Amino acid sequence: MTVTLGEGRTPLLHAPRLSERFGVDIWLKWEGANPTGSFKDRGMSVAVTKAVEEGATGVICASTGNTAASAAAYAARAGIEAIIVVAGGAAASSKLVQVRAVGGRIVEVPGTFSDAYAEAARLAVDGVVLVNSTNEHRIEGQKTAAFEVLEQLGEMPDVLALPYGGGGNTKAYARGFLEKTGELPRFHPTEAERRADTVASAIRIVEPNHLAEVQAVLERSGGSVVTVNDDELVAAWRMLGTEEGLFCEPASAAGIAAVARGVAQPGERVVCVVTGHGLKDPDAIQRLAL
Ligand SMILES: *Cc1c(COP(=O)(O)O)cnc(C)c1O
């Protein structure tokens, strides 16, 4: 039985004003439209379905917030337990509200995301399955976004720009494009300069889990990692809201920040993955909104 909440099939929206501003053809893959408000739902549907198939009694993950919100919701849907390990202060509190609302259990540990991940991996025993993006089923589910982009655009974009946290989503898009076409667009995963304490809480990850695979994707696609500061992220976030009507969380504007840095040539077609909804992080918004 598939554990689903209706994830995927999200809109690909043209961005006419941002396209004009930057002289490139910009499309926004709006992943905030997923059931718990981020792309994590695509992979969590598959991971929790497989966990249940294998007889799991629960799932566990380390999270900066969105994986937690998604794991807890899909676990509740499947009727199994969810344990969420968070590093002190690194997760947006509103995302933990989402966890509590669907009955997930939160365990807080001192340190960074990497410490939380080590603890989650240690606790993933006795029928409790780890559902971080190191779980291959997550990547399999997330690759469907690349299938949708190809369908919705009718062709391969020149550039894919997206936020870079652990790198799981970069890996998933690459897998999806390669499976369908044998080719890749130029990838520009975009990270926050202040990785440990950026305003973009969804990419507060100092040691990306998928570093090696991300590097392979960059080499093969001719792309590069873009590093932007918080002012650039906030400027991009504000542009998405005020010029295109899209309210995302700060991390999700990273692709636009990369375009503002000039990663695309005039006239190129760029898909920016807008990874999560703005209501995910109202504390940040309180500070950022004019
Ligand atoms: C998880 C997440 C990211 C980072 O994705 P990775 O696969 O870790 O690189 C970016 N934005 C949002 C909203 C997320 O939830």
Side-chain angles (χ1 to χ4, degrees), residues 58-115:
V59 293
I60 188 165
C61 65
S63 179
T64 60
N66 285 335
T67 298
S70 187
Y74 284 80
R77 184 80 176 153
I80 62 175
E81 190 188 17
I83 306 162
I84 309 302
V85 187
V86 296
S93 62
S94 45
K95 297 173 186 175
L96 298 182
V97 168
Q98 278 187 291
V99 170
R100 296 213 302 271
V102 295
R105 197 145 61 85
I106 297 166
V107 178
E108 203 165 318
V109 297
T112 65
F113 177 81
S114 297
D115 299 311

Side-chain angles (χ1 to χ4, degrees), residues 185-198:
R186 206 164 70 242
F187 270 69
H188 289 292
T190 304
E191 63 178 7
E193 191 177 285
R194 297 169 62 98
R195 278 196 159 260
D197 63 354
T198 171

Side-chain angles (χ1 to χ4, degrees), residues 39 42-44 46 136-145 172:
F39 71 84
R42 294 177 181 273
M44 208 54 77
V46 182
E136 270 300 307
H137 302 305
R138 289 268 314 275
I139 306 296
E140 283 295 300
Q142 285 174 212
K143 78 182 180 189
T144 58

Side-chain angles (χ1 to χ4, degrees), residues 41-52:
D41 294 341
R42 294 177 181 273
M44 208 54 77
S45 167
V46 182
V48 174
T49 298
K50 290 292 178 186
V52 169

Side-chain angles (χ1 to χ4, degrees), residues 269-285:
R269 180 162 288 181
V270 184
V271 170
C272 294
V273 184
V274 185
T275 47
H277 202 286
L279 289 173
K280 287 275 187 182
D281 203 352
D283 298 345
I285 308 311

Side-chain angles (χ1 to χ4, degrees), residues 38-40 66 142 163-170 202-203 205 249 251-252 275-276:
S38 84
F39 71 84
K40 299 299 197 303
N66 285 335
Q142 285 174 212
Y164 179 16
N169 211 28
T170 298
I203 54 173
I205 294 178
E249 65 174 288
S252 304
T275 47

